[in-house]
């Protein structure tokens, strides 16, 4: 099915396009609200600025697709393959991305407020200045991701993998990071005030100029962590391992 046929059928009222072959389709600026694209092949498709709000893209193949500035509010992308996809400045408020593959995806500036991202693979992805406040990131893989300047306040990040992630200047205030793995993570200037880091792993993490005021570090592993100029007022420091380095 080519893009013209797809657009015509949608304009005629059709909404079910399960398993459709739309590889490399040019669907820029298309109105695709409420479309059922479960299992569709959209590899390399151009969906820039498309309206996919409430669309069902579960199990869809979106490898290398351009979804920059697309509207994906409350869209379902569970288990979708979004490797290398461009989601820069996309609107993903309340979207469902559980178990989605977002390795090497570009999510810079994207709005993921309240999104469901549990167990999603976001390793090596770019989330610079992205907005994720209130998102569910339980057991998500964000290893080697770039989250510079992102807003992750009040997120649920129990068991999240942030190994070697760049979290410089990130807002993690009030985040739930119980049992999170932050080994070698860069948290320079990060705001972790009132966050829950109980039993988290911060081995060799860099927390220079970070704010840990009123944070819970009970049972946390701080082996070889760098705490230069870190704010610790009101912090619970019943750590399991403490070996600070300058």
């Amino acid at each position: 099915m080519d893009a013209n046929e797809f657009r015509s059928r949608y304009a005629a009222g059709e909404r079910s396009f399960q398993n459709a072959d739309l590889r490399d389709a040019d669907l820029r600026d298309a109105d695709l609200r409420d479309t059922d694209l479960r299992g569709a092949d959209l590899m390399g498709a151009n969906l820039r600025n498309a309206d996919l709000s409430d669309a069902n893209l579960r199990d869809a193949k979106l490898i290398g697709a351009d979804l920059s500035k697309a509207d994906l509010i409350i869209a379902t992308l569970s288990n979708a393959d979004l490797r290398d996809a461009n989601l820069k400045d996309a609107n993903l408020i309340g979207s469902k991305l559980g178990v989605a593959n977002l390795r090497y995806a570009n999510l810079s500036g994207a709005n993921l407020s309240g999104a469901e991202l549990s167990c999603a693979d976001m390793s090596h992805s770019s989330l610079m200045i992205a907005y994720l406040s209130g998102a569910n990131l339980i057991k998500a893989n964000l290893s080697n991701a770039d989250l510079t300047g992102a807003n992750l306040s009040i997120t649920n990040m129990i068991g999240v993998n942030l190994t070697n992630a760049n979290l410089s200047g990130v807002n993690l205030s009030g985040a739930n990071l119980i049992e999170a793995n932050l080994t070698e993570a860069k948290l320079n200037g990060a705001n972790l005030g009132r966050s829950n880091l109980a039993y988290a792993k911060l081995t060799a993490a860099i927390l220079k100029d970070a704010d840990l005021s009123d944070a819970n570090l009970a049972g946390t592993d701080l082996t070889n962590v760098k705490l230069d100029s870190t704010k610790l007022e009101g912090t619970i420091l019943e750590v399991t391992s403490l070996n600070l380095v300058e």
Side-chain angles (χ1 to χ4, degrees):
M1 184 191 311
D2 63 22
N4 290 332
E5 180 186 350
F6 179 73
R7 287 177 186 260
S8 296
R9 288 167 62 175
Y10 182 90
E14 188 173 346
R15 294 293 181 270
S16 182
F17 297 94
Q18 292 182 43
N19 302 309
D21 186 350
L22 289 160
R23 282 173 291 180
D24 300 312
D26 187 350
L27 294 164
R28 283 174 291 180
D29 305 304
D31 183 352
L32 303 172
R33 289 172 292 175
D34 304 306
T35 309
D36 186 352
L37 286 159
R38 283 175 291 173
D41 189 345
L42 288 150
M43 290 177 59
N46 189 344
L47 290 152
R48 181 181 175 84
N49 206 42
D51 189 348
L52 286 151
S53 52
D54 290 306
N56 191 340
L57 290 145
R58 184 182 182 88
D59 301 314
K61 299 178 182 67
L62 289 148
I63 301 169
D66 186 356
L67 288 149
S68 55
K69 296 186 178 180
D71 193 343
L72 291 147
I73 295 176
I74 320 177
T76 298
L77 290 147
S78 307
N79 205 44
D81 194 340
L82 288 145
R83 284 173 292 167
D84 296 300
N86 183 5
L87 289 142
K88 181 177 171 60
D89 298 321
N91 190 345
L92 290 142
I93 295 174
S95 58
K96 300 174 182 65
L97 287 147
V99 202
N101 190 342
L102 288 149
R103 285 173 59 85
Y104 294 98
N106 183 2
L107 288 145
S108 300
N111 190 340
L112 290 143
S113 176
E116 167 58 51
L117 289 152
S118 57
C119 299
D121 186 352
M122 305 172 79
S123 55
H124 300 277
S125 62
S126 176
L127 286 146
M128 294 176 65
I129 63 172
Y131 190 81
L132 294 112
S133 183
N136 181 1
L137 288 151
I138 292 176
K139 294 186 177 179
N141 182 4
L142 284 153
S143 59
N144 299 289
D146 189 350
L147 291 129
T148 305
N151 188 332
L152 290 147
S153 59
I154 326 174
T155 50
N156 192 344
M157 303 176 79
I158 297 173
V160 70
N161 182 1
L162 286 159
T163 304
N164 202 40
N166 189 346
L167 293 148
S168 301
V170 164
N171 182 0
L172 281 158
S173 58
N176 188 348
L177 288 149
I178 293 173
E179 296 183 344
N181 188 349
L182 290 135
T183 300
E184 297 183 349
K186 301 171 184 68
L187 289 145
N188 307 64
N191 181 1
L192 289 145
R194 303 182 311 283
S195 62
N196 191 346
L197 286 151
Y199 302 100
K201 190 172 183 180
L202 281 157
T203 307
I206 300 172
L207 285 152
K208 183 178 180 181
D209 298 315
D211 186 352
L212 282 159
S213 302
D214 299 307
N216 182 6
L217 293 168
T220 302
D221 185 348
L222 290 169
T223 304
N224 295 325
V225 72
K226 295 182 180 179
L227 287 167
D228 311 47
S229 304
T230 302
K231 296 178 183 177
L232 295 165
E233 291 85 359
T235 302
I236 298 172
L237 277 166
E238 298 173 9
V239 298
T240 57
S241 182
L242 180 63
N243 181 21
L244 308 181
V245 296
E246 295 184 0

